[in-house]
Amino acid sequence: MQVPAQFDYERATGVRHAIALLTRYGPESRLVAGGHSLIPMMKLRIANPETLIDINDLDELTGISITDGALRIGAMVRHAELLDSPLAVEHFPILVDAERVIADPVVRNRGTIGGSLCQADPSEDLSAAFTALHAVAVIEGESGRREVPAREFHTGPYQTVVGDAEILVEVRVPIRTGSGSAYEKVERRVGDWAVAAGGAALWLDGDTVGEVGIGLTAVGAAHFCAPQAEDFLRGGPATEERFAEAGRIAAEHVRPTADQRGPEDYKRHLAGELTTRALRRAAARARGSEA
C-alpha cells in the first residue's frame, strides 16, 4: 500500500492567510485544492511536503466572469465549471475543447484550473490552451499582485514562476473581436495524458490573420508555444495552404521525447498535423461556420 510521508496540515481562510502560512512554513509547504496531482505524487514519495495548506475555503479564488474586457477565471474554478461555462463557450471554445479531454468526471469535478497550471506537467492540456490564447496569470504574494504572461509562467517541467510564498489567484484572457479557437488531442485512451496535442487561436481581420497563438503539449515545445509558426502566419491570408505550412514549421521546432506513448518521429508528425487541424477549426469558428 502506497502512503504519503508524515506531514502537518493547515486550512487557509483567505488568500492573505494562505500566503502567511506559506511564509511561516517555508519552501517545504505545499498548497492543496483538488489534490489529483499532488496526492498521487505524495503516495509515490515523489513529493514529500512537510506541510499541506488546504485552500478549498478560498471563495475569493472562484468564479468565471468578464472583467475589464477579459475573461477572468479564478484559480479555484473546477474543471467541470469551466467545461460548462457559457462565457467560455462564447468567447474561447478552445477551453471547452481542452476540458472535454482532460481526465474523467471524477477528476474534473474536483481538480482546479490553478492546480493544473501550477503542476506544470509537460503533457498538461490547459497550459497549451492558455498559451495559444495569450492569457495572463495573476500571482499574489506578500508584496502584492503581479501579472505574468502564460508564455512565461512555466520555467521547465514541473516548475513555474510562482514563488515559495506566492499563490496563483486567477487567469485572464483578453477578449478581442474576430476570434476563433480550437484544441486537438491524440491520446491512447479517453482521459489519458496526451501523446500530443495542439491548440490554436486566431484573430481575423477579414481573411487576414491579425494575431495568432499556437499552443503545443507533450512534444517538447518550449513554453508550450510555437512562435516560428505564429510569425509565419501573422499578417498573411488565413488559407489551408498556410495552415499546413505553419504545421510543418511547428513540427520542425518541437523536441519530443520517445516514451511509452510513442517514438519521436510519430510525436513530431502529430505536432504538425494537430497544429494544422486546430488552425483550420479556429478559422472556421472565427468566420462563424463552425460552433
Side-chain angles (χ1 to χ4, degrees):
M1 183 177 180
Q2 297 170 335
V3 294
Q6 184 174 344
F7 60 88
D8 292 326
Y9 174 85
E10 294 276 3
R11 195 171 186 96
T13 58
V15 170
R16 302 310 300 177
H17 185 214
I19 293 169
L21 290 171
L22 287 168
T23 302
R24 180 194 307 171
Y25 289 105
E28 297 306 315
S29 59
R30 292 289 183 274
L31 300 175
V32 62
H36 286 287
S37 297
L38 179 59
I39 301 303
M41 293 178 71
M42 290 174 62
K43 287 182 176 181
L44 294 170
R45 304 294 178 99
I46 297 172
N48 294 292
E50 295 177 359
T51 306
L52 283 188
I53 301 169
D54 191 331
I55 58 172
N56 277 287
D57 290 340
L58 273 57
D59 292 340
E60 60 201 287
L61 301 186
T62 62
I64 302 171
S65 62
I66 303 295
T67 305
D68 297 327
L71 180 68
R72 175 206 169 270
I73 304 168
M76 282 293 297
V77 167
R78 312 288 174 175
H79 291 292
E81 295 177 64
L82 185 56
L83 176 60
D84 294 336
S85 168
L87 292 176
V89 171
E90 177 184 358
H91 295 285
F92 303 111
I94 184 176
L95 297 175
V96 178
D97 291 345
E99 287 290 3
R100 285 195 183 108
V101 294
I102 290 177
D104 54 39
V106 173
V107 172
R108 291 196 293 266
N109 283 336
R110 290 298 299 167
T112 64
I113 307 307
S116 289
L117 294 179
C118 290
Q119 176 68 8
D121 192 293
S123 298
E124 202 273 317
D125 294 288
L126 286 182
S127 296
F130 283 123
T131 290
L133 292 171
H134 297 277
V136 174
V138 181
I139 300 167
E140 186 167 343
E142 289 184 301
S143 59
R145 292 191 172 190
R146 61 190 179 102
E147 298 184 0
V148 178
R151 295 174 177 228
E152 299 174 14
F153 185 78
H154 299 97
T155 57
Y158 306 102
Q159 296 179 321
T160 74
V161 297
V162 181
D164 292 335
E166 290 186 319
I167 181 171
L168 175 67
V169 295
E170 66 184 38
V171 180
R172 295 176 184 165
V173 189
I175 296 173
R176 291 174 283 184
T177 59
S179 69
S181 59
Y183 193 74
E184 300 281 348
K185 179 178 179 179
V186 170
E187 53 197 339
R188 294 180 302 174
R189 58 185 179 272
V190 174
D192 195 7
W193 294 107
V195 176
L202 289 170
W203 290 267
L204 299 182
D205 182 7
D207 285 326
T208 300
V209 177
E211 186 54 89
V212 57
I214 297 172
L216 294 168
T217 195
V219 292
H223 302 287
F224 293 93
C225 62
Q228 297 86 356
E230 294 169 349
D231 290 342
F232 168 78
L233 288 170
R234 196 175 289 111
T239 63
E240 178 66 25
E241 293 76 16
R242 288 180 65 82
F243 294 159
E245 178 62 12
R248 187 197 66 76
I249 295 171
E252 183 180 299
H253 289 89
V254 297
R255 297 292 181 267
T257 301
D259 57 20
Q260 72 273 23
R261 292 185 173 85
E264 292 179 24
D265 57 348
Y266 175 54
K267 293 184 177 183
R268 190 181 301 278
H269 167 76
L270 286 178
E273 180 62 28
L274 296 178
T275 295
T276 301
R277 292 183 190 180
L279 286 166
R280 183 187 301 130
R281 288 182 63 206
R285 285 171 168 171
R287 293 166 176 147
S289 56
E290 181 182 332

